[in-house]
Amino acid sequence: KAGGPIMVTFSRGGGQFIAGKAADNTDDAACIAGAVAGALHCRTVAKLYGVPVILHTDHCQKSWLPWFDGMLEANEDYFKKNGEPLFSSHMLDLSEEPLEENIAI
């Protein structure tokens, strides 16, 4: 009723849940496909309510960089077709890595 924006955050595990736990997750394929499908769903449904949607990916640690790369690729593909990225923001969290490696990545 307020007409304000909504924010939805997708995690790697959430993406796999959306795709289905039995989906092949080689190279994070299910995690990527599920998060992308969820984001597309949110954008589509938000139009019905006339509200802006902010889509964010949750903390991504170093071992999950293939998922992060898949999210960036989805953003680029969506941008080429729609003139805006699919996700509004991504969170890369390398706080568990040594400072020098964190900065290098």
Side-chain angles (χ1 to χ4, degrees), residues 27 52 68 80-81 91 101:
D27 297 325
F68 194 80
K80 286 176 188 173
K81 297 172 187 169
M91 183 178 291
E101 186 176 352

Side-chain angles (χ1 to χ4, degrees), residues 27-105:
D27 297 325
D28 280 339
C31 294
I32 293 165
V36 169
L40 292 170
H41 172 80
C42 288
R43 283 189 169 273
T44 301
V45 173
K47 290 176 187 175
L48 299 174
Y49 292 92
V51 296
V53 63
I54 299 163
L55 300 172
H56 175 72
T57 59
D58 201 5
H59 297 75
C60 178
Q61 61 194 29
K62 183 180 176 184
S63 63
W64 296 348
L65 286 176
W67 175 72
F68 194 80
D69 289 341
M71 298 296 91
L72 295 178
E73 186 177 321
N75 258 4
E76 291 171 5
D77 292 344
Y78 191 87
F79 186 87
K80 286 176 188 173
K81 297 172 187 169
N82 299 285
E84 63 181 348
L86 178 59
F87 292 91
S88 308
S89 61
H90 298 281
M91 183 178 291
L92 181 59
D93 182 358
L94 302 175
S95 60
E96 294 181 359
E97 307 307 319
L99 180 61
E100 296 78 20
E101 186 176 352
N102 191 321
I103 292 170
I105 292 175

